[in-house]
Amino acid sequence: MRVLVQRVTSARVTVDGHTVGEITPNPQGLVALVGLTHTDDAAVVRKMADKLWRLRILDGELSAADAGAPILVVSQFTLYADTAKGRRPSWNAAAPGPVAEPLVDEFATALRALGAVVATGQFGAHMHVELVNDGPVTVLLELQAG
């Protein structure tokens, strides 16, 4: 599992011109772009949710847990792009939709269970993600099953 985390001062996701998820941090929040691979499972997802919730990347070395910062979760299969050969990325390492969708939902659910205020994108939709990256701070988190 890979999660590209961005510290933000605002963020929203629209589909067909309609807002489907939005956070209005006070003052900061996180956007979590979530990619899953074939070996990921619910245990990995819950461990990653805990890691993200406690990651100290907000001002003053605070975590989202410390600050009560909201999190916008957006599925992002392209985090598993293989660009080693040629000019066309391969998506073979990304989990297929029927595997990934319930795991993305589980990730959001796990964050909520930890106490996070969570908004989400719409799985499988063509989304427009708007955000104001604060810092800028962008961190790639990665966990593997096992």
Side-chain angles (χ1 to χ4, degrees), residues 36-92:
L36 294 140
T37 192
H38 303 279
T39 57
D40 292 329
D41 58 20
V44 169
V45 167
R46 286 190 297 273
K47 187 174 179 181
M48 181 65 87
D50 187 70
K51 185 174 184 77
L52 174 62
W53 183 232
R54 299 180 196 294
L55 186 67
R56 298 186 170 280
I57 62 170
L58 300 177
D59 280 349
E61 295 186 15
L62 296 177
S63 67
D66 297 328
I71 302 171
L72 177 60
V73 173
V74 179
S75 62
Q76 185 79 52
F77 76 94
T78 60
L79 288 175
Y80 276 96
D82 181 354
T83 59
K85 295 182 181 177
R87 295 188 181 121
R88 182 178 302 150
S90 167
W91 313 113
N92 291 338

Side-chain angles (χ1 to χ4, degrees), residues 2 19 22-23 25 31 50-51 73 92 107 115-116 136-137 146:
R2 292 177 181 163
T19 299
E22 182 172 19
I23 59 171
V31 170
D50 187 70
K51 185 174 184 77
V73 173
N92 291 338
F107 183 68
V137 174

Side-chain angles (χ1 to χ4, degrees), residues 1-2 5 12-13 17 22 29 41 50 62 81 89-90 101 106 110 113 116 120 123 125-127 133 139 145:
M1 179 173 191
R2 292 177 181 163
V5 183
R12 74 179 183 141
V13 178
E22 182 172 19
D41 58 20
D50 187 70
L62 296 177
S90 167
E101 184 173 11
E106 175 63 25
T120 63
F123 191 92
H126 184 105
M127 296 178 274
N133 189 317
V139 177

